[in-house]
Amino acid sequence: MDTLLGILIPLVGTSAGAACVFLMKKNLSGIVQKALLGFASGVMVAASVWSLLIPSMDMASDMGKFAWVPAAVGLMLGIVFLLFMDKTVPHLHLDADEPEGNAAKKSLSKTMMMVMAVVLHNIPEGMAVGVVFAGIQAGESNITIAGAYTLALGIAIQNFPEGAIISMPLKSVGLSKGRAFLYGVLSGVVEPLAAIITVLLTGLITPVLPYLLAFAAGAMLYVVVEELIPESAEGAHSNIGTLAFALGFVIMMILDVALG
């Protein structure tokens, strides 16, 4: 039951953010979007370090001075995986005119490509939650239930602005509030699905758990550096995104250290 509740927490964050479409009449302002993107970036970077990379190295402590190997290898594999997905899956970022991904699939609607952009973000986040709960089920002492819930909560905090940022623009381009909300929620469904699959494979992934933790961290960091930070720094008032990044990082760091 703890595992099921934990893997559903990020979806709650996405759904709550998407529900903003019912509460707000206008689209999010540019400054608010910068702040939300910056905050989400800070949360993801802190979660990658304290909830994923540090536990990965702790698990490999028996390797002595080479305990960094699983973390380094896994992180690079995660980045390469997201780079591959970014180049092959058709998607469209906010305020972008041209879609990215496989050119043969650019016939997809703009709405669906915007949703796919968020889905790409959510795959590594779902994997990250699944990996930590799989570690708990495997009896890994370096991962606590409090730490796992902290990671899930941190991702849920990050998902709130993400849900709003996907649903509000969809409403502004003509979709009904109900459909915009539905697309926002559906963009986050991939997270619990990825987490459940990872947990179900616990017996198989236990031997390579340090690598998988770092893999999830690398994928999350790719999203932050490639998309979230550049979008939060575009145009005027880029310092808003920077300050929000620091706030998100500090909050997630405090949660992880205090509760994990």
Side-chain angles (χ1 to χ4, degrees):
M1 183 59 71
D2 286 340
T3 298
L4 180 60
L5 291 175
I7 63 180
L8 289 177
I9 289 175
L11 180 59
V12 173
T14 303
S15 301
C20 289
V21 76
F22 297 111
L23 305 174
M24 302 176 63
K25 294 183 178 180
K26 297 182 179 180
N27 200 1
L28 296 174
S29 69
I31 292 178
V32 172
Q33 285 196 25
K34 288 178 184 294
L36 293 178
L37 288 169
F39 184 85
S41 300
V43 168
M44 290 179 70
V45 171
S48 296
V49 174
W50 272 274
S51 297
L52 298 171
L53 289 175
I54 291 178
S56 171
M57 289 182 280
D58 288 342
M59 289 180 196
S61 59
D62 59 340
M63 297 176 65
K65 62 182 180 180
F66 294 104
W68 54 268
V69 171
V73 172
L75 185 143
M76 293 307 300
L77 288 175
I79 289 176
V80 170
F81 172 75
L82 254 290
L83 176 62
F84 172 78
M85 294 290 289
D86 203 30
K87 297 299 183 183
T88 57
V89 177
H91 59 285
L92 181 70
H93 299 301
L94 292 174
D95 301 324
D97 296 322
E98 293 295 328
E100 298 182 18
N102 192 334
K105 298 181 179 178
K106 288 182 180 178
S107 60
L108 289 175
S109 70
K110 181 178 180 180
T111 297
M112 286 307 301
M113 285 192 288
M114 288 179 68
V115 173
M116 286 304 299
V118 178
V119 168
L120 283 178
H121 297 183
N122 290 341
I123 290 174
E125 295 164 17
M127 290 176 58
V129 174
V131 166
V132 293
F133 278 101
I136 291 174
Q137 292 196 354
E140 178 54 58
S141 60
N142 291 298
I143 303 177
T144 65
I145 188 67
Y149 271 112
T150 299
L151 175 63
L153 178 61
I155 291 177
I157 293 172
Q158 184 271 145
N159 283 353
F160 180 86
E162 200 167 72
I165 288 171
I166 191 68
S167 64
M168 295 298 290
L170 291 178
K171 185 191 74 170
S172 69
V173 297
L175 268 70
S176 66
K177 291 182 179 180
R179 287 189 65 191
F181 171 73
L182 179 62
Y183 279 124
V185 174
L186 289 178
S187 71
V189 170
V190 67
E191 286 193 18
L193 290 178
I196 289 171
I197 293 173
T198 305
V199 171
L200 291 176
L201 297 175
T202 298
L204 298 176
I205 69 175
T206 300
V208 292
L209 194 56
Y211 292 90
L212 289 178
L213 287 169
F215 179 94
M220 288 171 64
L221 289 175
Y222 177 91
V223 171
V224 171
V225 177
E226 173 69 13
E227 299 173 11
L228 299 186
I229 289 179
E231 289 176 6
S232 70
E234 285 183 350
H237 306 295
S238 60
N239 57 335
I240 297 296
T242 302
L243 293 174
F245 174 94
L247 179 62
F249 186 94
V250 169
I251 289 176
M252 185 60 195
M253 178 181 66
I254 291 172
L255 286 174
D256 198 283
V257 174
L259 302 179

